[in-house]
Amino acid sequence: MALVTTKEMFAKALVSDYAIGAFNVNNMEIVQGIVDAAKIEKAPLILQVSAGARKYARPAYLVKLVEAAIEDTGLDICLHLDHGEDFDICKKCVDDGFTSVMVDGSKHPFEENIALTKQVVEYAHAHGVVVEAELGKLAGVEDNISVDERSAKFTDPAEAQEFVERTGVDSLAIAIGTSHGAYKFKGDPYLDFERLKEIHALIPETPLVLHGASTVLREFVDRCNEFGGEIPGAQGVPEEMIREATKYGICKVNIDTDLRLAMTAEIRRFLVENPSEFDPRKYLGPARDAIQRMVQHKIRDVLNASNTL
Ligand code: G3H
Ligand code: 13P
Ligand code: ZN
């Protein structure tokens, strides 16, 4: 039981039809719900911390919580920085004991993205830490966007090959139609599987990463709305599309929005049904249980990763 990199877990996932869930963590109940699910499902696990999570919880806390989770469950866990936007935050996380960092240079021109990624790879590798980079821009829900405009944002397969060769990065996040948050598609969900297959064929040894992969579970959106929420029009990636993507090199699937929805739905329900209750443990406990059930469902039914340890 230890903090581990993604090297071994990705090597196994790359030659199999399953992917590893990378779940965003912000507090103790979220960490506990996720690790308990991974333990029951006997699945490899990545816990990831965004810059926002690091700021919210303060840098030391989430590292210590993940260390406590390892001690408590006996699991090996990868602690990953999600969307590090510059060298400084990547370096800080390497120095803090993270075993994996993402350097997200996707907003920069190609050559600048390469230069930034190389700088992070050099520092991280010297410290035994692996690096994920991103090429292409995740789609947003935008009105009247043409097919050409959409595919201009998606990852170019030839560029992906050049990017991986020149940076020495360990895994690559690609853009094929997903986006962050609860509103991913206005019309029919669409992922560019042909592009994914082309990228995988050109860089078959590189584990690919799918960001924006929440399926936005109806159950939680409906429960939020039933108890006074207002999240109309939410639409995630269909489960079968995520399962399909795991066959073509997608080894890491990022999930945050579904955790937020599961937690908030349960807290909303509890507080509406128990208006005179004010002990936080009374609503954070059921919220933690809801996260655990949801993560078990993801690992088992969407990522196909149960019993892969
Ligand atoms: O990709 C974004 C993740 O959902 C993290 O979101 O920056 O609000 O923590 P955050
Ligand atoms: P979702 O918003 O679909 O959960 O994506 C999370 C993510 O990509 C974190 O990096
Ligand atoms: Zn992301």
Side-chain angles (χ1 to χ4, degrees):
M1 56 169 196
L3 274 176
V4 294
T5 73
T6 48
K7 265 196 190 331
E8 265 183 45
M9 49 178 106
F10 281 173
K12 281 175 76 180
L14 196 54
V15 293
S16 318
D17 288 354
Y18 72 87
I20 293 136
F23 299 94
N24 286 72
V25 295
N26 291 276
N27 70 7
M28 183 186 77
E29 284 76 11
I30 298 174
V31 170
Q32 289 177 332
I34 297 165
V35 297
D36 288 351
K39 185 173 170 126
I40 294 167
E41 295 301 325
K42 300 186 178 61
L45 180 62
I46 299 167
L47 293 179
Q48 54 189 13
V49 172
S50 69
R54 194 168 171 272
K55 190 169 170 210
Y56 170 78
R58 299 180 216 156
Y61 284 78
L62 293 172
V63 177
K64 298 289 180 205
L65 279 174
V66 174
E67 286 171 358
I70 289 169
E71 189 182 318
D72 182 41
T73 60
L75 290 174
D76 287 338
I77 297 174
C78 169
L79 175 57
H80 173 77
L81 167 67
D82 191 26
H83 294 286
E85 67 165 10
D86 54 29
F87 178 75
D88 186 50
I89 189 167
C90 293
K91 179 181 182 302
K92 282 198 173 101
C93 288
V94 169
D95 295 346
D96 283 352
F98 282 52
T99 46
S100 175
V101 292
M102 175 191 189
V103 53
D104 182 356
S106 60
K107 66 174 184 224
H108 299 300
F110 188 64
E111 289 298 331
E112 281 174 40
N113 190 356
I114 287 189
L116 173 63
T117 302
K118 272 174 84 166
Q119 191 189 10
V120 172
V121 166
E122 195 176 315
Y123 188 79
H125 283 184
H127 292 78
V129 171
V130 292
V131 180
E132 170 187 329
E134 178 165 325
L135 191 62
K137 292 185 180 58
L138 293 205
V141 176
E142 295 164 64
D143 280 325
N144 303 322
I145 184 166
S146 72
V147 174
D148 282 354
E149 283 168 322
R150 190 168 58 186
S151 63
K153 296 181 166 188
F154 290 177
T155 307
D156 178 78
E159 280 192 357
Q161 183 178 23
E162 184 183 344
F163 187 90
V164 166
E165 283 168 3
R166 287 176 60 192
T167 58
V169 78
D170 300 279
S171 60
L172 186 68
I174 53 161
I176 55 165
T178 58
S179 58
H180 292 114
Y183 303 92
K184 300 191 191 295
F185 306 101
K186 269 201 172 148
D188 290 339
Y190 169 80
L191 295 192
D192 193 340
F193 281 103
E194 289 316 308
R195 187 178 296 268
L196 172 61
K197 289 177 195 171
E198 225 181 301
I199 295 168
H200 181 47
L202 285 172
I203 44 172
E205 316 260 288
T206 304
L208 302 176
V209 180
L210 195 61
H211 281 248
S214 278
T215 55
V216 185
L217 290 149
R218 207 63 250 163
E219 172 194 348
F220 298 119
V221 174
D222 289 348
R223 192 168 310 146
C224 280
N225 289 338
E226 183 186 344
F227 293 101
E230 270 190 60
I231 3 187
Q235 196 186 6
V237 186
E239 292 188 349
E240 57 276 15
M241 286 193 179
I242 304 286
R243 265 198 302 271
E244 181 71 6
T246 68
K247 297 178 188 165
Y248 310 110
I250 295 292
C251 294
K252 174 173 179 272
V253 168
N254 282 16
I255 296 167
D256 188 3
T257 297
D258 281 325
L259 293 162
R260 297 177 179 195
L261 286 168
M263 184 165 209
T264 303
E266 203 49 36
I267 293 172
R268 274 194 181 280
R269 182 195 62 75
F270 183 90
L271 292 176
V272 169
E273 287 179 354
N274 302 276
S276 56
E277 186 57 68
F278 53 85
D279 178 346
R281 294 170 298 187
K282 292 277 171 36
Y283 52 86
L284 291 176
R288 177 175 59 190
D289 295 343
I291 285 176
Q292 181 194 315
R293 286 192 300 275
M294 187 278 285
V295 172
Q296 278 189 252
H297 164 67
K298 292 278 175 190
I299 291 172
R300 196 178 50 227
D301 306 321
V302 183
L303 305 174
N304 194 27
S306 299
N307 303 307
T308 59
L309 275 183

